[in-house]
């Protein structure tokens, strides 16, 4: 259990434990040196726990670097408890759903660019699935979510993932 007080509103992320989900994730985890030694020795259920653990570690790195993201409250097996991004049980909209003014769109775009740079330089991470679906708009700023697939740039596919993230951000008119 984490040493953190449980916020009034929390978000739960339950990682699916089906084999099909596991097969979609292996390219992000099997070559990640942080988990490589344990990968081949584990069954799919244990890999799902490792996937949840990976999200926890990535979020903690991001929080330490000052990147707006959910704060980890606790991790139990394949269930991650995080701070809730939103208010009064209404989740913040994704950038895909948010109706932003032109000014807010510019603000969001430059925030995302700055966060990508921080993620790379301060956290030594590439999001690896960055799109308007896993960024939230709350209190006039962008929050990054869904970082379990994030990898370090030295990952064999790290720079390819970074290129895809850059393309996704540049093609989406935030």
């Amino acid at each position: 259990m984490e040493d953190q007080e449980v916020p009034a509103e929390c978000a739960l992320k339950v990682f699916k434990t089906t084999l099909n989900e596991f097969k979609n994730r292996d390219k992000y985890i099997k070559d990640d040196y942080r988990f490589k030694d344990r990968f081949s020795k584990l069954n799919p259920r244990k890999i799902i726990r490792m996937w949840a653990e990976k999200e926890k570690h990535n979020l903690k790195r991001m929080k330490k670097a000052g990147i707006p993201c959910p704060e980890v409250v606790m991790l139990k097996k394949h269930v991650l408890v995080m701070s809730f991004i939103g208010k009064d049980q209404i989740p913040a909209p994704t950038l895909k759903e948010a109706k932003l003014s032109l000014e807010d769109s510019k603000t969001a775009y430059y925030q995302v660019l700055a966060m990508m740079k921080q993620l790379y330089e301060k956290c030594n991470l590439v999001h690896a699935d960055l799109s308007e679906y896993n960024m939230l708009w709350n209190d006039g700023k962008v929050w990054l979510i869904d970082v379990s697939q994030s990898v370090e740039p030295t990952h064999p596919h790290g720079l390819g993932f970074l290129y895809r993230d850059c393309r996704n951000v540049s093609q989406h008119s935030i």
Side-chain angles (χ1 to χ4, degrees):
M1 188 146 181
E2 301 297 321
D3 291 341
Q4 182 182 330
E5 192 175 310
V6 178
E9 292 186 299
C10 291
L12 295 179
K13 184 167 185 177
V14 180
F15 292 82
K16 294 180 183 177
T17 57
T18 64
L19 190 57
N20 189 38
E21 287 292 318
F22 161 74
K23 287 178 182 174
N24 294 335
R25 292 180 176 144
D26 89 344
K27 71 180 172 189
Y28 295 100
I29 202 167
K30 76 175 182 185
D31 293 322
D32 189 322
Y33 81 90
R34 298 173 292 170
F35 301 92
K36 197 171 190 171
D37 292 343
R38 299 186 306 176
F39 179 80
S40 60
K41 300 173 185 134
L42 298 178
N43 67 40
R45 287 203 185 276
K46 288 185 180 172
I47 299 251
I48 299 306
R49 288 184 191 166
M50 194 184 313
W51 190 253
E53 182 183 326
K54 189 174 182 217
E55 175 132 10
K56 172 188 155 186
H57 289 299
N58 290 343
L59 285 170
K60 286 186 170 234
R61 273 191 195 185
M62 292 166 61
K63 189 55 86 177
K64 187 175 179 185
I67 296 172
C69 65
E71 197 160 336
V72 173
V73 175
M74 104 168 49
L75 173 64
K76 185 79 171 174
K77 294 186 179 180
H78 64 284
V79 179
L80 183 62
V81 181
M82 301 170 284
S83 59
F84 181 76
I85 311 302
K87 191 173 179 179
D88 299 327
Q89 300 174 14
I90 299 170
T94 64
L95 280 183
K96 179 69 176 173
E97 304 163 332
K99 306 288 186 235
L100 302 182
S101 67
L102 182 58
E103 196 58 40
D104 282 345
S105 291
K106 286 180 187 177
T107 299
Y109 180 73
Y110 288 111
Q111 283 177 7
V112 171
L113 294 182
M115 284 190 285
M116 289 177 74
K117 186 174 192 247
Q118 279 181 286
L119 197 61
Y120 189 88
E121 292 178 351
K122 291 185 179 176
C123 302
N124 197 34
L125 288 173
V126 172
H127 189 285
D129 190 29
L130 195 58
S131 75
E132 66 271 24
Y133 294 98
N134 47 34
M135 293 183 269
L136 304 179
W137 180 253
N138 192 52
D139 288 336
K141 66 181 175 183
V142 177
W143 295 70
L144 291 184
I145 60 169
D146 292 337
V147 295
S148 54
Q149 75 291 330
S150 297
V151 297
E152 293 194 343
T154 55
H155 183 282
H157 304 292
L159 294 180
F161 292 149
L162 178 61
Y163 175 76
R164 185 177 65 195
D165 286 353
C166 291
R167 191 181 63 229
N168 288 347
V169 168
S170 67
Q171 287 177 346
H172 173 67
S173 55
I174 294 174

